[in-house]
Amino acid sequence: MERIARTRISDLLKREDFGSTINVKGWVRTKRGSKQVTFIAINDGSTIHNIQIVADVANFDEELLKSITTGACLSVNGTLAESVGSGQHVELQAREIEILGTCGNDYPLQKKGHSLEFLREVAHLRPRTNTFGAVFRIRHNMAIAIHQFFHERGFYYFHTPLITASDCEGAGQMFQVTTLDLNDVKRKDDGSIDYSADFFGKPTSLTVSGQLEGELAATALGAIYTFGPTFRAENSNTPRHLAEFWMIEPEVAFNDIEDNMALAEDFIKHCVRWALDKCYDDVKFLNDMFDKGLIERLKGVLDGEFVRLKYTDGIKILEQAVADGHKFEFPVFWGMDLASEHERFLVEDHFKRPVILTDYPKEIKAFYMKQNDDGKTVRAMDVLFPKIGEIIGGSEREADYDKLMTRIKELGIPMKDMWWYLDTRRFGSCPHSGFGLGFERLLLFVTGMSNIRDVIPFPRTPNNAEF
Ligand code: ATP
Ligand code: MN
């Protein structure tokens, strides 16, 4: 076969130099035709759209055409031609076809219209479907949008460790990291495990958040963000929780909670605008395929300000709703942690806009949040979104050493491995704020997918670590 430089389909579909000789490579999506012509739609992952290959049967070996089946990988040299019938304005008149890889008839993606549940069972192949091609192109784009947003605003991308020896963030929810032989664990005289023999000489786990180290960096570099994997062994089998997910955590010196809210709002709007501007074909496909309200919802987030509401006022609204006859599964009272049904009521039914809920009871929030003067609430802020509920959790941090220590003692948090964190409050402490955005929660919103397992290539959930 004549060697011609490959053209990506996304580029090819924009061209109008009909008559040019082109090479494309990709995987067969469909093949149909008559005795005279065969039409082969191929896709190379560069766009949701296929290019149609037109092959005159007379010009090709019969056996070759026969072995072009759905899923096979082809390299095609041909002439760019104007198309009338293929749904695209160009097609390729094939001159030479090489089969790079045939595809057996046990290929699981023969037909269109497999369920998302089935596709999870073939997660190694599902990126080849239109749906997952679109989702993963959007996922890439959101990662780029995030880096660009922070870089342009003078934030530094800071890498926090994945293995941690501090267990104060989410005791009981962490995955232990060990090289001890579990079949032959050495014990101390009192019967407890002898971790001095473990790799790090003490118990370690996978991190649930990069925030604590992020605070160290913010109080040096000014403004930083992390963007990496986090791990939670919470056994919550919901459509919004993964055991391994990616989190973006900006942390900014001198920001108070107002600045933090403004940053969160700008940040999400930037990502949503990017999706509409740069991923429109993929977003449109998902809109038409799964969720006819998607594009409207994305545009809705860009119009107008997010509501800023105090927790106490949010509870009043929910109590009023209950009084008016609205049924929630879980009871509503001051002091409760909001369930996603409560969050979605505020966002979807009451305000019809994203809501930033602030000043939560200290009992349901982490020890490091700045304490308000009322002695009851802390300067927490959760950003609540339509369809998702909580998409961001953040706060202004307690900058006062004594107040922080008092809270730590009240909660009985084991601080022996945390001296380094407390040093930020001893050596030039400053007001600072930050938040965590769950990357996959953002993707749920932007793609309109309804299960978080469908926005990460290889989901990790209880009893599931295949692929
Ligand atoms: P939730 O109440 O929804 O479990 P959380 O309060 O535990 O969330 P944070 O600890 O504040 O969440 O984490 C920050 C962000 O990380 C959340 O706002 C959410 O977007 C995301 N997140 C938290 N847990 C998970 C998870 N198990 N899977 C995917 N994303 C998550
Ligand atoms: Mn959680």
Side-chain angles (χ1 to χ4, degrees):
M1 193 158 122
E2 189 190 350
R3 191 184 160 83
I4 304 169
R6 172 188 164 226
T7 303
R8 283 154 45 98
I9 293 173
S10 58
D11 296 328
L12 188 58
L13 294 176
K14 291 181 208 138
R15 285 174 60 166
E16 294 185 335
D17 50 331
F18 305 118
S20 302
T21 301
I22 306 275
N23 171 270
V24 290
K25 295 181 173 68
W27 294 269
V28 176
R29 285 297 170 80
T30 57
K31 183 178 119 183
R32 62 193 173 80
S34 62
K35 282 214 165 67
Q36 290 83 38
V37 261
T38 300
F39 300 104
I40 308 157
I42 72 172
N43 187 282
D44 67 0
S46 61
T47 156
I48 189 89
H49 303 295
N50 303 328
I51 180 86
Q52 172 155 281
I53 311 292
V54 184
D56 284 327
V57 171
N59 298 344
F60 291 93
D61 176 54
E62 201 186 317
E63 282 307 307
L64 178 115
L65 289 182
K66 236 198 225 160
S67 34
I68 297 174
T69 56
T70 299
C73 188
L74 306 184
S75 173
V76 181
N77 289 342
T79 311
L80 193 66
E82 204 161 359
S83 170
V84 275
S86 72
Q88 306 296 343
H89 79 285
V90 296
E91 61 187 26
L92 204 62
Q93 288 285 342
R95 289 213 308 255
E96 294 175 285
I97 301 178
E98 183 186 347
I99 300 181
L100 300 177
T102 55
C103 186
N105 58 14
D106 52 348
Y107 181 56
L109 306 177
Q110 296 289 352
K111 308 189 293 275
K112 288 185 174 180
H114 291 296
S115 72
L116 294 171
E117 288 78 8
F118 170 76
L119 291 173
R120 269 173 231 147
E121 289 166 24
V122 289
H124 61 307
L125 296 171
R126 69 179 181 168
R128 292 198 197 176
T129 63
N130 283 333
T131 298
F132 286 94
V135 168
F136 297 139
R137 278 187 297 272
I138 294 172
R139 189 177 164 109
H140 159 80
N141 266 277
M142 288 299 94
I144 300 297
I146 287 163
H147 285 300
Q148 201 225 28
F149 176 88
F150 288 118
H151 178 67
E152 284 190 345
R153 282 160 185 76
F155 286 62
Y156 298 104
Y157 180 26
F158 192 76
H159 296 104
T160 50
L162 299 189
I163 298 176
T164 174
S166 68
D167 61 355
C168 69
E169 262 263 351
Q173 292 193 10
M174 300 178 95
F175 289 100
Q176 193 173 348
V177 174
T178 183
T179 51
L180 291 178
D181 179 356
L182 296 183
N183 292 313
D184 181 23
V185 180
K186 278 204 204 74
R187 296 193 180 263
K188 295 194 279 198
D189 292 341
D190 65 1
S192 64
I193 292 169
D194 180 9
Y195 280 104
S196 67
D198 203 351
F199 190 90
F200 297 104
K202 55 180 166 182
T204 51
S205 313
L206 293 175
T207 188
V208 296
S209 160
Q211 180 197 319
L212 302 185
E213 291 90 349
E215 288 187 48
L216 306 178
T219 53
L221 296 167
I224 64 95
Y225 67 106
T226 70
F227 187 172
T230 42
F231 307 88
R232 297 191 183 180
E234 52 193 354
N235 202 345
S236 42
N237 241 314
T238 79
R240 300 177 306 113
H241 288 92
L242 292 163
E244 176 182 293
F245 64 100
W246 288 64
M247 185 139 66
I248 298 96
E249 295 180 279
E251 192 71 37
V252 191
F254 318 118
N255 268 11
D256 64 12
I257 192 168
E258 299 292 331
D259 303 320
N260 207 30
M261 288 193 270
L263 179 68
E265 179 166 354
D266 282 355
F267 173 48
I268 301 203
K269 284 182 171 170
H270 169 87
C271 294
V272 170
R273 205 173 295 118
W274 187 294
L276 284 169
D277 289 350
K278 304 212 161 63
C279 314
Y280 192 77
D281 285 358
D282 288 325
V283 169
K284 177 88 170 65
F285 172 82
L286 296 170
N287 180 89
D288 297 349
M289 188 79 180
F290 295 103
D291 180 354
K292 300 277 188 298
L294 173 61
I295 291 177
E296 210 179 302
R297 222 166 31 249
L298 295 181
K299 289 184 173 158
V301 162
L302 298 180
D303 302 338
E305 283 228 320
F306 295 3
V307 175
R308 280 138 171 88
L309 182 75
K310 289 201 165 27
Y311 169 92
T312 301
D313 297 322
I315 293 295
K316 282 183 191 148
I317 293 170
L318 294 171
E319 283 173 340
Q320 187 58 49
V322 172
D324 293 344
H326 191 93
K327 295 265 179 290
F328 291 113
E329 190 185 337
F330 298 102
V332 174
F333 58 94
W334 197 96
M336 70 163 189
D337 204 356
L338 276 72
S340 112
E341 55 169 349
H342 304 124
E343 297 171 339
R344 294 184 60 180
F345 178 86
L346 291 174
V347 173
E348 292 168 28
D349 298 336
H350 191 81
F351 290 106
K352 300 187 168 44
R353 268 194 290 159
V355 173
I356 310 184
L357 202 60
T358 62
D359 301 282
Y360 283 71
K362 64 178 181 192
E363 283 74 22
I364 57 173
K365 289 294 181 188
F367 73 94
Y368 48 70
M369 297 190 180
K370 184 173 172 66
Q371 298 157 33
N372 284 322
D373 294 336
D374 63 9
K376 291 194 297 192
T377 58
V378 289
R379 231 161 266 183
M381 52 155 254
D382 281 7
V383 181
L384 312 180
F385 253 49
K387 273 200 79 177
I388 313 294
E390 181 190 330
I391 193 165
I392 282 181
S395 67
E396 184 171 342
R397 318 306 188 190
E398 181 56 74
D400 183 274
Y401 180 84
D402 294 329
K403 285 187 183 169
L404 187 62
M405 271 320 284
T406 306
R407 190 74 189 127
I408 284 167
K409 281 183 194 140
E410 268 170 29
L411 293 170
I413 294 170
M415 293 306 285
K416 62 176 181 351
D417 301 314
M418 295 291 296
W419 57 273
W420 48 269
Y421 179 72
L422 295 169
D423 271 0
T424 54
R425 274 65 167 175
R426 299 205 308 137
F427 304 134
S429 186
C430 70
H432 60 287
S433 300
F435 60 80
L437 167 81
F439 189 46
E440 287 77 17
R441 298 261 175 104
L442 172 71
L443 287 168
L444 278 178
F445 183 72
V446 165
T447 61
M449 301 302 280
S450 46
N451 193 311
I452 201 162
R453 293 163 179 77
D454 296 331
V455 294
I456 189 165
F458 304 106
R460 298 289 180 252
T461 51
N463 291 315
N464 176 32
E466 193 70 48
F467 311 109

